[in-house]
Amino acid sequence: MDFSTVRWEEVGKASIETLQILGVSGLFTVIFGLPLGVLLFMTARSASIKSRTVYIILSLIVNILRSVPFIILIVALIPFTRILVGTATGVLGVIPPLVISAAPYFARLVETTLREVDRGVIEAAQSMGASTGQIVRRVLLPEALPGLVAGITITIVTLVSYTAMAGMVGGGGLGTLAINYGYFRYQNEIMIISVVSMIILVQILQMAGDRLVTFFTRK
C-alpha cells in the first residue's frame, strides 16, 4: 500500500462532513427524541384511558421506526427527503433519515432512564402541588441527567455507524469516501484511513460522554 497517493484534502473534507452530519443530526435527534421519550414515560404511567391510548399509538410508531434497518429506511425516505430539503444526497440529504431513525431510538433510552428515577421523589413533588410540567423540568430531567447524557452518547455513537451506511447512497462524509474510493476503486489505503478515522471518532465521543456522565453523577 502506498499512502503517499492518498488525497488528504479529500479525507479532510469527508471528516468535516461527518462531523457536520453528526452535529446537526445529533442535535435534532435530541430535540425530537427527548420530548417524545418524556411523553412515552408520562403516558405509560397514567391511569387515564386517553393517555394509555396515546402511549399505545406512540409506542407502536416508535417500534415500527426502530424495526426498519437504516439502509432500507434511507432509501424509502428519498422522496420525503427531497421534498423536505431539496436533495437526497450529500450532507443535507442524509440528515432527515438519520433523525427519523435515531429519534425513536433515543426516545426509548429516555423512557428507560426516566423509569429509574425514584418514585418517592416524584410523589413528594406531587404532594407539594407541583404541576406535570414542573415535575418534568425540576424533578425528572435533573434526576435522570447522568442517564440522559449516557443515552445521548450511545445515540451519537450509533449515528457514526449510520453515517457509514449512508455512504452507500451518497450520503457524504467518511462513509461515502470509503465506498467511492476504498470499495469501487480498490484504494485500500482510503478504506483503512476511513475506518481508523471512524474508530478514533467513536473513542473520542465515548470518552467525552463518559466524563460528562461522571461529572453530572458527582454533582
Side-chain angles (χ1 to χ4, degrees):
M1 284 182 280
D2 184 8
F3 285 92
S4 64
T5 61
V6 174
R7 298 175 63 182
W8 291 102
E9 67 275 12
E10 292 287 338
V11 176
K13 181 185 174 187
S15 300
I16 292 172
E17 286 180 350
T18 296
L19 293 176
Q20 290 173 333
I21 293 169
L22 284 177
V24 178
S25 60
L27 175 64
F28 280 100
T29 294
V30 173
I31 289 174
F32 290 113
L34 181 60
L36 179 58
V38 172
L39 188 59
L40 283 168
F41 173 77
M42 297 301 290
T43 53
R45 63 196 297 272
S46 174
S48 163
I49 295 177
K50 186 177 178 181
S51 295
R52 292 291 302 172
T53 304
V54 170
Y55 175 78
I56 291 170
I57 294 171
L58 286 178
S59 185
L60 179 64
I61 294 172
V62 167
N63 288 342
I64 290 172
L65 290 175
R66 290 179 60 210
S67 301
V68 181
F70 178 69
I71 193 66
I72 295 175
L73 183 69
I74 193 172
V75 173
L77 288 175
I78 284 177
F80 172 75
T81 304
R82 282 180 177 153
I83 292 172
L84 190 64
V85 297
T87 178
T89 58
V91 172
L92 203 57
V94 77
I95 290 174
L98 277 173
V99 175
I100 291 172
S101 178
Y105 175 75
F106 178 59
R108 280 297 186 203
L109 293 178
V110 172
E111 182 190 9
T112 303
T113 302
L114 295 180
R115 284 178 183 166
E116 296 174 0
V117 175
D118 188 352
R119 293 183 67 86
V121 179
I122 301 173
E123 290 169 357
Q126 289 173 329
S127 66
M128 288 187 287
S131 65
T132 301
Q134 289 173 326
I135 291 172
V136 171
R137 292 194 307 273
R138 299 181 182 178
V139 178
L140 278 175
L141 296 182
E143 288 288 327
L145 189 55
L148 293 175
V149 173
I152 292 172
T153 304
I154 293 170
T155 303
I156 292 179
V157 167
T158 303
L159 282 173
V160 175
S161 64
Y162 284 2
T163 62
M165 281 189 273
M168 292 295 293
V169 291
L174 290 168
T176 295
L177 188 74
I179 297 298
N180 288 346
Y181 289 89
Y183 181 69
F184 289 119
R185 301 182 188 179
Y186 303 106
Q187 294 185 16
N188 293 328
E189 298 88 350
I190 295 290
M191 182 66 81
I192 291 172
I193 291 170
S194 299
V195 172
V196 170
S197 298
M198 284 188 277
I199 290 173
I200 293 173
L201 179 59
V202 168
Q203 294 298 319
I204 293 172
L205 289 170
Q206 189 62 57
M207 287 173 60
D210 290 344
R211 291 199 172 195
L212 283 174
V213 170
T214 303
F215 173 76
F216 288 117
T217 302
R218 290 174 178 171
K219 285 188 72 176

